[in-house]
Amino acid sequence: MLVRDAMSTVVLTIGPAHTLRQAARLMSARRIGAAVVHDPDTCGLGIITERDILVAVGSGQDPDIETAGAHTTTDVVFASPVWTLDEAAGAMTHGGFRHLIVLDDDGPVGIVSVRDIIRCWTPARQRPAELV
């Protein structure tokens, strides 16, 4: 199975000036755990995750003042839609992260998470016999 078969195509893109609270609200509303951060001044793409926000707030930083740009991971490993799930899982394991931005020639087309990969690798649950 390939990354394109598992990835979420719901890609939230925010700017580095968004506050952590704004990022959290947008991520929560879409029920996603990561957002792409696009900085037009650097033409760079980064990622901010729910864990990044949790760490910042947990350390006492103000989510209404702190910006996404200050908590963005910019040293990003990108996945290709044609990577296998094994390749994506290997990159995540090697890098110690749980989300990969999926890029094609036109830019971000999805995000694949550990949860997406597990969902594909885990067989559908069987209904208990008494419910059939």
Side-chain angles (χ1 to χ4, degrees), residues 36-102:
V36 173
V37 180
H38 178 249
D39 188 343
D41 293 334
T42 66
C43 294
L45 292 177
I47 190 168
I48 188 165
T49 67
E50 58 197 356
R51 181 170 287 174
D52 297 324
I53 295 169
L54 181 68
V55 167
V57 172
S59 68
Q61 297 179 10
D62 186 339
D64 293 313
I65 296 174
E66 288 295 313
T67 63
H71 298 276
T72 297
T73 300
T74 55
D75 185 18
V76 179
V77 175
F78 298 101
S80 165
V82 297
W83 277 15
T84 66
L85 294 185
D86 284 333
E87 289 174 302
M92 290 177 184
T93 301
H94 180 74
F97 42 80
R98 300 180 301 164
H99 297 85
L100 287 169
I101 299 171
V102 184

Side-chain angles (χ1 to χ4, degrees), residues 7 15 94 109:
M7 71 184 190
H94 180 74
V109 293

